[in-house]
Amino acid sequence: MWNQACSPSSAGTSHKAVISKRASLQILPCTVSQLLSASLVGSDSFVICDWELNQVSVVGIVRGFAPFVTNVQYSLDDMTGPLLNVKQWVNSEDCALMTLAPVGTYVKVIGSLRNFRGQRSLLAMDVRCIKDLNEITSHMLEVVEAHMQLFGKAFDVNMNITAASASGGVLGHSDCGGHLEGITPNGLSTLQAQVLHVIRKFSVIHEGICFNDLKRQLEHLSMRDIRNSLTFLLNEGHVFTTIDEQHFKSSER
């Protein structure tokens, strides 16, 4: 489970990292922007909200590729911020078994965030090419859920705290209207993907989900964002109205 991906950092307000050995490390889904916004404590340890990062996963498209004798470096873009440098150490035996990801390929990277001469890099344990592009949308939703449940707060991709989750909502409540940004492979913004995700969940009901229930499930989004997303989804045929103009179902389940 991702909720064991971090351990409480004793850095706190003193910003002194205590790095301990761990028998097993789990994986926390993140975006590039969240990793670049994490606080550096000590020489090579990063924390989010006083929690020390261990292993993380990111999903994005390879914008740059540079093979070297001892390592392979990628420039990864998930459209939430600047490019992230990914470094994968290799030896002669590894090279024969590795499948290198060329520019333009979507990949999922699992590794640890490190500080190399003042530059943040993700030291990759595994780089896997993505064949099913639904994994990208799924990853973004996992990021929101993981960080909210782990920290008891909702974040946008720039690690701005929106508000603590009150109750009932899928993604929590926000006084700031913060939300994920970016475009998923199916042409939806991550905001539109969140709205569609909720509508799909309730499409098993004959009449679908009414607008008021949709608002309650997406309390972290503004009314304007929800209505704009609905208009787009309706126009593109992703959702349709049922018993009246205020009930919606997904065209796909």
Side-chain angles (χ1 to χ4, degrees):
M1 291 289 292
W2 50 259
N3 61 359
Q4 296 178 0
C6 304
S7 58
S9 171
S10 60
T13 56
S14 65
H15 288 269
K16 293 182 180 180
V18 175
I19 303 175
S20 61
K21 295 183 179 179
R22 299 167 180 83
S24 61
L25 298 178
Q26 304 301 319
I27 301 168
L28 177 69
C30 290
T31 66
V32 167
S33 181
Q34 288 171 341
L35 294 180
L36 295 179
S37 302
S39 300
L40 174 64
V41 292
S43 60
D44 198 25
S45 180
F46 292 89
V47 298
I48 295 177
C49 291
D50 295 330
W51 285 75
E52 183 181 338
L53 293 179
N54 294 326
Q55 290 190 7
V56 299
S57 67
V58 291
V59 170
I61 187 170
V62 176
R63 299 296 188 189
F65 168 76
F68 296 94
V69 176
T70 59
N71 65 85
V72 178
Q73 295 190 34
Y74 299 97
S75 294
L76 189 68
D77 180 14
D78 71 351
M79 293 171 283
T80 66
L83 299 182
L84 175 67
N85 181 60
V86 176
K87 179 180 291 186
Q88 187 175 30
W89 294 102
V90 298
N91 55 42
S92 57
E93 295 179 357
D94 293 332
C95 288
L97 300 174
M98 286 179 60
T99 300
L100 301 180
V103 173
T105 302
Y106 280 95
V107 296
K108 181 172 185 177
V109 182
I110 297 175
S112 302
L113 191 61
R114 292 290 181 262
N115 184 37
F116 292 104
R117 298 178 180 178
Q119 181 185 17
R120 299 187 184 198
S121 296
L122 187 61
L123 184 59
M125 297 180 60
D126 181 63
V127 178
R128 176 176 61 83
C129 295
I130 290 178
K131 297 180 180 179
D132 183 358
L133 297 183
N134 287 323
E135 284 193 54
I136 302 170
T137 303
S138 176
H139 174 79
M140 297 300 288
L141 294 174
E142 288 173 359
V143 168
V144 177
E145 180 183 18
H147 283 74
M148 191 191 74
Q149 292 190 25
L150 185 61
F151 302 115
K153 300 173 183 178
F155 298 89
D156 63 19
V157 294
N158 296 312
M159 290 311 299
N160 297 314
I161 299 174
T162 56
S165 177
S167 63
V170 171
L171 300 174
H173 173 75
S174 170
D175 294 328
C176 307
H179 55 76
L180 290 174
E181 298 175 352
I183 303 297
T184 61
N186 59 2
L188 302 180
S189 69
T190 49
L191 188 153
Q192 293 160 356
Q194 291 178 52
V195 176
L196 181 58
H197 175 73
V198 174
I199 295 175
R200 279 178 175 168
K201 286 182 60 178
F202 287 84
S203 291
V204 295
I205 304 174
H206 175 70
E207 65 272 17
I209 184 172
C210 69
F211 183 76
N212 288 335
D213 287 339
L214 184 63
K215 287 191 301 180
R216 281 192 285 270
Q217 293 293 322
L218 295 167
E219 290 182 334
H220 66 294
L221 299 182
S222 68
M223 179 82 72
R224 177 181 177 182
D225 286 338
I226 294 174
R227 289 195 179 277
N228 287 343
S229 296
L230 269 176
T231 299
F232 178 87
L233 294 172
L234 286 166
N235 291 338
E236 294 297 317
H238 294 289
V239 303
F240 61 93
T241 56
T242 58
I243 58 176
D244 56 34
E245 296 299 317
Q246 297 298 314
H247 285 76
F248 309 94
K249 291 183 72 172
S250 169
S251 303
E252 301 178 1
R253 296 185 185 180

